[in-house]
Amino acid sequence: MDLSKLFDNNTDQARITNGTTRKLILKKKIFSILYLESNKTIADLCTPVNVSIPTMTRIMRELIEEEWVEELGTGDSRGGRKPVFYGLNPFIRYVIGIEITRKYTRINIFDLHNRPVGEMFQLDIELDKAPDMLEVLRSQLDAFIIRNNIEKNKVLGAGISIPGLLDKKSNINYSYPNLGEKPLNIVFTELLQIPSFIEHDTKAIALGEAWFGLARNKSNALCLNVGSGIGLGMIIKGELYHGVSGFSGEFGHIQMIPEGQLCDCGKIGCLETVASGSAIVAKAKQMISEGTNSIIKKLVEGNTNAIRLPIIIKAAHQGDQFAIELIEESGDYLARGLAVLIHLLNPEMIIIGGELANAENLIADPIQQKLNKYTINRIRQDTDIYISELKEQAGLLGTIPVVMTNIFSQEPNINNFNNTIIS
Ligand SMILES: [Zn+2]
């Protein structure tokens, strides 16, 4: 993802009216450069910030006094005096990541070097249990912040990843009316008393891959999330693609079987009904009950109701033919869908993530083989298929860019973190 796009902030330029605001904007710009591009010398910073060396030296001195920036020692000289490098103080502010799924919520705190500060914390409460679930989240998050010795006013923001039909403009989640009628960013900002930013779960995964995973520095990447459902996050021309309302990427609801089963969405024969984790589990339960021989039965001690996707994947890794065939069949349907995307978008890479990615080559190979069958050779050659390296971590890590891109694109706001760097 081309992060330099974040600096094209015309609104900031329009606000350059007086010294304080201008200096604040310059400081924010330095902050964003050091955050996104790591350590720099004064000379490195002058061009992108567009100030002279004496001005930059003065501003950096202030940023050091204010503890935003640290002097890091000298680098190699290209003749003359060795340049001094400056970097962000990673502990001057923190970002909270909250990944809400249908079944559980995961939380962690990250420093400005994107390192987790605490142990990832999982709250086993279902999203359907909101609004009670929100109250539990609030109290557990407060306890988590205290446990990790973080001052709440040092938190830049909370990034919240959530499933469902999330309207990007209104921040309303149509799938979970139980979260209340207010826009979700306001619901969470009021609840947590921390500026909160919302992103759809699969899109947060794509951001995680684009900032920290295999899609780093890639302009055109598709991130497939196959768990209980099937979602798609698209990085197009270096940016996360939302569509007009934020509903892009509902890949699981393209029709695959015209006379197929009823999907949760109300339509018939969606891709999700034949290729998702839920579909694989349902088929395993049915066929094992009907007498199909598989070590899955042994792994659940005969209780077919206990069959879950990780058990099927475990059986497949142990060489169980039935489990391997179930995953292959899912791969076949996914490839039919992906073939359409490859023909339409000509992506550089497709990253397979979500729970099914734990099947590793047992899912990647059938997809690759079937793509050979369903796509035009010349077009497919451009697209590499990968299993996510971040796997289940991608979603929580993806909440970091959700916060930081919002922080960088906001106008200077004295109610936010910026007040501490006004001098
Ligand atoms: Zn559907």
Side-chain angles (χ1 to χ4, degrees), residues 171-238:
N171 264 303
I172 300 283
N173 192 324
Y174 293 106
S175 305
Y176 294 95
N178 52 329
L179 289 166
E181 286 174 2
K182 287 184 184 172
L184 283 189
N185 55 330
I186 293 172
V187 169
F188 282 94
T189 300
E190 288 177 356
L191 178 79
L192 307 175
Q193 293 294 303
I194 293 168
S196 298
F197 307 97
I198 316 292
E199 187 54 273
H200 178 254
D201 57 355
T202 298
K203 294 186 183 72
I205 288 172
L207 284 174
E209 295 287 355
W211 277 45
F212 307 112
L214 290 168
R216 210 170 166 174
N217 302 321
K218 302 291 178 193
S219 294
N220 295 287
L222 303 181
C223 303
L224 192 62
N225 174 25
V226 192
S228 56
I230 298 173
L232 180 76
M234 292 179 271
I235 304 292
I236 294 177
K237 285 184 167 176

Side-chain angles (χ1 to χ4, degrees), residues 205 209 352-354 357-360 387-395:
I205 288 172
E209 295 287 355
I352 301 157
N358 291 320
E360 304 282 347
I387 290 286
S388 169
E389 287 177 352
L390 296 174
K391 296 211 171 65
E392 282 103 332
Q393 292 177 65

Side-chain angles (χ1 to χ4, degrees), residues 252-254 262-273:
H253 300 288
I254 58 172
L262 181 66
C263 181
D264 287 342
C265 73
K267 305 291 166 198
I268 301 290
C270 294
L271 180 62
E272 260 185 35
T273 66

Side-chain angles (χ1 to χ4, degrees), residues 228-370:
S228 56
I230 298 173
L232 180 76
M234 292 179 271
I235 304 292
I236 294 177
K237 285 184 167 176
E239 288 193 340
L240 182 63
Y241 182 76
H242 281 96
V244 64
S245 320
F247 301 152
S248 67
E250 289 296 339
F251 183 54
H253 300 288
I254 58 172
Q255 193 180 59
M256 199 47 69
I257 316 277
E259 311 296 327
Q261 296 164 35
L262 181 66
C263 181
D264 287 342
C265 73
K267 305 291 166 198
I268 301 290
C270 294
L271 180 62
E272 260 185 35
T273 66
V274 285
S276 65
S278 311
I280 295 172
V281 168
K283 188 158 186 192
K285 282 181 180 172
Q286 188 201 339
M287 292 193 65
I288 289 172
S289 306
E290 288 169 7
T292 298
N293 222 344
S294 163
I295 60 172
I296 294 171
K297 197 169 175 181
K298 207 163 72 191
L299 291 172
V300 294
E301 294 167 348
N303 177 12
T304 47
N305 276 330
I307 295 175
R308 299 283 180 274
L309 187 59
I311 293 167
I312 297 170
I313 292 172
K314 186 175 176 188
H317 282 306
Q318 289 175 10
D320 183 67
Q321 192 179 320
F322 174 63
I324 291 171
E325 282 168 4
L326 283 176
I327 293 168
E328 267 175 7
E329 190 185 4
S330 162
D332 185 344
Y333 286 118
L334 289 171
R336 287 172 200 254
L338 290 175
V340 176
L341 297 176
I342 288 172
H343 288 149
L344 276 180
L345 298 169
N346 184 215
E348 194 172 350
M349 57 162 52
I350 296 175
I351 301 172
I352 301 157
E355 219 177 352
L356 192 60
N358 291 320
E360 304 282 347
N361 279 357
L362 295 174
I363 184 66
D365 292 349
I367 288 178
Q368 185 72 63
Q369 281 165 14
K370 295 295 178 173

